[in-house]
Amino acid sequence: MATVAVIARYLGQAPIELTTLECPVRLSDADSGRARIELQQYLQGSKAANLLRMIPPDGHMVQG
């Protein structure tokens, strides 16, 4: 379980963020310096979202 935020962030505009608490995820290494995040459910959020932030229970944030 993790906290996952779907965010639309554009220059000159206030960010639009929708956070889902206790979201089932699978985090794995994709390559050097890259992570793969698999979500077990569809997340609602802005259609213009361009950023995903995931914080697992250990507090290590992954975003991109």
Side-chain angles (χ1 to χ4, degrees):
M1 296 290 203
T3 299
V4 179
V6 178
I7 306 164
R9 183 172 288 170
Y10 292 94
L11 186 63
Q13 298 178 12
I16 300 169
E17 182 172 330
L18 181 64
T19 301
T20 302
L21 304 174
E22 301 294 321
C23 180
V25 299
R26 181 180 300 153
L27 177 65
S28 58
D29 288 331
D31 200 351
S32 178
R34 295 172 51 188
R36 177 184 174 99
I37 299 171
E38 295 178 58
L39 305 171
Q40 294 183 9
Q41 66 189 48
Y42 180 81
L43 297 180
Q44 297 294 325
S46 171
K47 292 183 188 242
N50 58 358
L51 179 65
L52 181 75
R53 178 185 310 132
M54 194 247 350
I55 304 172
D58 68 4
H60 185 100
M61 181 175 63
V62 177
Q63 70 178 13

